[in-house]
């Protein structure tokens, strides 16, 4: 018997506006390379390679004295605590703001809440930290608040989109059977969205680990503040130990977050 050929579906035609957008982005990239004074020849010159090698040689060997390692351990815990507390605060506030942002209290509340979330996440953590350092002073408290404010904007928007995209049939079924809207949300909508929300939260925790290490550069405590201190004094072996601690901390948190996300999304 002759086998029937499987016909592929006709591809969707690409609109001219899509081609225009791609062409505009390509022209923007070309213009960026053309206008920036990129000195590739000097970057890969023999003198630049020799200077970079001498600079990197100053980091070896890392500082391994026990008192210094204890200080690095305390700073590592401080960085982890900043990121964890900031993420927990942001997840709680983001979940609360996601309710009106998902349109459950009308279009006016939705637009106003989404505008607030846009402002919160459009300001980078470093800018929030610079502002809060004036009010809260130097230390991890300002860094924790900076992480929380920025992450509220991110998680609030993601949670709101998750609520909007959640299948409405289970909640509608409970409503038709006389359940209160709040109960329908708690027993139908929230259980469907909670794995995705937890995955978003863990992913943002990974990002906040890196951000917390950077915030220390502006005086928010943790490993970043130690790194800035030792680099400013040209204590390269001590700075190398701090950098290694950062890498190990980020790698450990990334691995833990990956395992938890896989366990929740199976």
């Amino acid at each position: 018997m002759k086998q029937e050929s499987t016909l592929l579906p006709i591809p969707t035609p690409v609109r001219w506006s899509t081609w225009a957008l791609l062409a505009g982005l390509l022209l923007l990239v070309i213009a960026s390379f053309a206008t920036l004074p990129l000195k590739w020849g000097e970057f890969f010159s023999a003198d630049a390679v020799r200077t970079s090698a001498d600079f990197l040689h100053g980091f070896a060997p890392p500082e391994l004295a026990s008192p210094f390692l204890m200080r690095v351990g305390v700073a590592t815990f401080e960085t982890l605590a900043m990121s964890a507390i900031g993420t927990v605060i942001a997840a709680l506030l983001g979940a609360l703001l996601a309710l009106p942002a998902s349109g459950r209290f009308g279009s006016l509340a939705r637009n106003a809440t989404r505008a607030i979330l846009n402002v919160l996440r459009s300001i980078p953590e470093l800018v929030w930290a610079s502002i809060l350092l004036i009010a809260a002073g130097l230390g991890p408290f300002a860094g924790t608040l900076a992480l929380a404010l920025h992450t509220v904007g991110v998680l609030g928007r993601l949670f709101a989109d998750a609520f909007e995209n959640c299948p409405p049939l289970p909640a509608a079924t409970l409503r038709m059977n006389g359940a209160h809207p709040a109960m329908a949300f708690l027993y139908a909508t929230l259980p469907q969205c909670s794995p995705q929300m937890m995955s978003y939260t863990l992913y943002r925790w990974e990002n906040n680990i890196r951000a917390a290490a950077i915030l220390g550069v502006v005086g928010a405590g943790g490993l970043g503040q130690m790194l800035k201190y030792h680099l400013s004094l040209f204590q390269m072996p001590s700075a190398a130990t701090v950098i290694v601690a950062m890498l190990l901390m980020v790698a450990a948190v990334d691995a833990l977050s990956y395992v938890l996300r896989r366990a929740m999304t199976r």
Side-chain angles (χ1 to χ4, degrees):
M1 295 178 63
K2 188 177 180 180
Q3 295 181 352
E4 296 182 359
S5 60
T6 303
L7 298 178
L8 296 176
I10 300 176
T12 304
V14 181
R15 295 184 298 178
W16 68 268
S17 57
T18 303
W19 290 112
L21 177 61
L22 293 175
L25 292 176
L26 180 60
L27 290 176
L28 180 62
V29 172
I30 296 174
S32 300
F33 276 96
T35 55
L36 290 177
L38 300 177
K39 302 178 181 179
W40 295 107
E42 296 182 9
F43 182 77
F44 292 104
S45 64
D47 185 60
V49 172
R50 183 174 57 256
T51 304
S52 300
D54 293 339
F55 176 75
L56 294 176
H57 182 71
F59 286 94
E63 178 63 54
L64 299 177
S66 297
F68 182 74
L69 291 179
M70 291 182 62
R71 288 172 49 204
V72 172
V74 172
T76 303
F77 178 78
E78 192 173 78
T79 302
L80 284 171
M82 286 170 54
S83 63
I85 295 174
T87 305
V88 170
I89 294 174
L92 295 176
L93 294 179
L96 291 177
L97 292 175
L99 294 174
S102 62
R104 295 180 177 273
F105 300 103
S107 59
L108 180 61
R110 180 184 186 275
N111 295 332
T113 309
R114 284 184 175 258
I116 295 173
L117 295 175
N118 289 338
V119 171
L120 290 175
R121 74 171 180 271
S122 64
I123 301 176
E125 297 94 334
L126 278 174
V127 177
W128 278 121
S130 301
I131 297 172
L132 293 169
L133 284 172
I134 301 174
L138 297 175
F141 181 58
T144 303
L145 292 179
L147 291 174
L149 286 174
H150 178 79
T151 310
V152 164
V154 177
L155 290 182
R157 173 60 185 274
L158 293 174
F159 292 171
D161 290 344
F163 290 154
E164 283 188 336
N165 297 328
C166 183
L169 184 58
T173 302
L174 291 179
R175 292 288 304 278
M176 287 188 296
N177 286 276
H180 191 272
M183 293 297 102
F185 173 80
L186 292 176
Y187 286 97
T189 304
L190 188 59
Q192 294 182 90
C193 298
S194 56
Q196 189 177 12
M197 294 169 65
M198 185 60 67
S199 179
Y200 288 146
T201 303
L202 289 173
Y203 179 70
R204 284 305 307 179
W205 183 39
E206 295 178 27
N207 294 336
N208 286 343
I209 287 284
R210 303 177 182 88
I214 297 173
L215 290 182
V217 176
V218 297
L223 288 173
Q225 189 167 342
M226 284 191 69
L227 180 62
K228 178 186 178 183
Y229 173 78
H230 292 292
L231 284 178
S232 62
L233 297 179
F234 297 99
Q235 297 175 352
M236 299 308 180
S238 300
T241 303
V242 176
I243 293 173
V244 171
M246 285 182 175
L247 294 176
L248 293 177
M249 177 186 63
V250 171
V253 171
D254 284 352
L256 176 62
S257 178
Y258 174 77
V259 171
L260 292 176
R261 287 202 310 269
R262 287 291 299 273
M264 288 184 301
T265 55
R266 284 180 180 176

